[in-house]
Amino acid sequence: MELLILGCGSAAPTTKHLPSCQILEHRGKLYMIDCGEGAQLSLRKHRVSFSRLVHIFISHLHGDHCFGLPGIISSMGLLGRTAPLFIHGPSGIELYLEPILKFFCDRLPYEVKICPHDTKQMACILETRSLEVHTLPLNHRIPCAGFLFREKTQKSHLIAEMAEFYKIPVSLRKDIIAGADYTCPDGTLIPNSRLTKPANTPKSYAYCSDTAYHPQLIEQIKGVSLLYHEATFMESECKRAIETCHSTAKEAARIAQLSEAERLLIGHYSARYTDESGLLQEARSVFPNTIAANEGMTIEI
């Protein structure tokens, strides 16, 4: 897994930060998370292939998380896309997109498939051979859900050198990968542990923006490899955070700490901050393994 930050600001774009947008790459597939204004220009700037993008996940229908969709949909058509594009978002996203598709994009050479989901309960909304994507109910002013990307547990790897050494028939190798031992023609038993090595530990990524402090998340993201949690305000603006259903940097860090996340990535900064060092310092005072998002940043998970 690898995460690219395309935008980590909040509602009002600034000269420093763009609205929310990220690209998660997993095994060659690209997943966009939120699509704020300027997303397609950022894709160009960072040389991200439009054609490799198949799924877009929208957390909620505030403009700083979805105003970039019309431009990307249109540009994909101009670029000759033929593969379907799947857009996952809260119930009601079709009311936003369908008029745009009808008015501006009625002759697209590809199909846009709108996939609404319920934001009130955690559910699996996408499953591939190696990955599951679940919604994470959040606490915001309008229906909003984050997303948990979790790798599936993989089977053990057969050690090629050992397979050749014991001349294991190809027809038996699938069983050995599944956990079977191997019996040589002379009756010698070779334990599975000598023939295989464990698969890599599954990785996971949780995206939680926008939300007030929401303890219900803790069990849902327990032990996540990387947690992105909004940190719109510093503690000095906690009243404003409560009024707008956003989080402070310390609250984001508290969620990371209690959920036993390996790392915390903060973002969705209020435009009032020209320097995020104060937000980062506050978060690290609670959860030291915190980093601050910035446009163009790439994080290996």
Side-chain angles (χ1 to χ4, degrees):
M1 281 189 187
E2 190 172 84
L3 183 70
L4 170 64
I5 305 298
L6 297 180
C8 55
S10 57
T14 67
T15 56
K16 186 175 183 180
H17 293 302
L18 294 172
S20 297
C21 187
Q22 302 181 0
I23 295 289
L24 183 69
E25 180 173 5
H26 182 254
R27 298 195 174 192
K29 296 181 180 178
L30 301 183
Y31 303 90
M32 176 176 279
I33 311 168
D34 277 335
C35 188
E37 190 176 354
Q40 64 171 323
L41 293 177
S42 294
L43 289 175
R44 287 294 199 194
K45 179 179 179 180
H46 297 288
R47 301 180 181 277
V48 178
S49 171
F50 282 65
S51 63
R52 292 173 58 203
L53 186 59
V54 180
H55 295 272
I56 299 178
F57 298 87
I58 302 298
S59 61
H60 63 295
L61 296 178
H62 277 159
D64 55 320
H65 295 259
C66 64
F67 277 173
L69 278 175
I72 280 186
I73 292 170
S74 178
S75 292
M76 285 182 173
L78 294 174
L79 293 170
R81 183 189 184 95
T82 57
L85 176 67
F86 297 84
I87 300 180
H88 308 263
S91 298
I93 191 170
E94 62 275 17
L95 300 178
Y96 164 57
L97 283 178
E98 285 174 355
I100 292 172
L101 293 173
K102 184 176 181 180
F103 193 84
F104 293 104
C105 308
D106 62 332
R107 296 184 180 180
L108 286 176
Y110 69 97
E111 182 181 4
V112 176
K113 295 189 176 183
I114 303 173
C115 309
H117 56 251
D118 184 359
T119 61
K120 295 180 181 179
Q121 57 186 355
M122 187 177 186
C124 182
I125 58 172
L126 178 65
E127 183 175 2
T128 71
R129 292 176 61 184
S130 58
L131 186 72
E132 289 183 348
V133 184
H134 293 259
T135 52
L136 296 168
L138 300 177
N139 179 13
H140 198 41
R141 302 193 302 278
I142 64 172
C144 183
F147 303 100
L148 174 63
F149 297 79
R150 191 181 294 278
E151 285 185 322
K152 294 181 179 179
T153 301
Q154 300 297 309
K155 295 179 180 178
S156 298
H157 299 295
L158 181 64
I159 302 172
E161 293 82 358
M162 300 302 286
E164 291 299 321
F165 179 80
Y166 289 107
K167 297 182 172 55
I168 300 174
V170 174
S171 60
L172 297 180
R173 296 185 182 189
K174 184 177 180 180
D175 293 334
I176 292 171
I177 291 173
D181 298 324
Y182 173 63
T183 303
C184 298
D186 63 2
T188 304
L189 181 69
I190 310 301
N192 184 271
S193 59
R194 191 184 300 177
L195 303 172
T196 61
K197 59 182 178 181
N200 295 330
T201 303
K203 301 298 181 182
S204 54
Y205 173 60
Y207 175 88
C208 300
S209 184
D210 296 8
T211 185
Y213 182 70
H214 195 50
Q216 289 87 334
L217 279 171
I218 293 167
E219 289 303 317
Q220 295 172 340
I221 61 173
K222 203 76 171 180
V224 70
S225 304
L226 177 65
L227 167 63
Y228 175 84
H229 196 291
E230 72 131 281
T232 308
F233 298 106
M234 294 179 67
E235 281 294 301
S236 58
E237 299 289 339
C238 61
K239 289 184 179 179
R240 181 62 177 159
I242 293 171
E243 290 172 358
T244 57
C245 286
H246 283 295
S247 296
T248 66
K250 276 192 175 180
E251 288 173 331
R254 198 171 300 128
I255 293 292
Q257 181 186 56
L258 294 174
S259 65
E260 300 174 3
E262 293 180 16
R263 286 188 293 172
L264 170 65
L265 175 66
I266 58 171
H268 199 266
Y269 314 119
S270 168
R272 71 188 63 205
Y273 303 114
T274 57
D275 180 3
E276 296 80 45
S277 59
L279 291 158
L280 181 59
Q281 183 177 352
E282 279 196 355
R284 283 181 172 172
S285 70
V286 176
F287 190 79
N289 199 9
T290 300
I291 51 180
N294 199 15
E295 281 76 6
M297 174 185 287
T298 300
I299 303 166
E300 186 175 345
I301 302 174

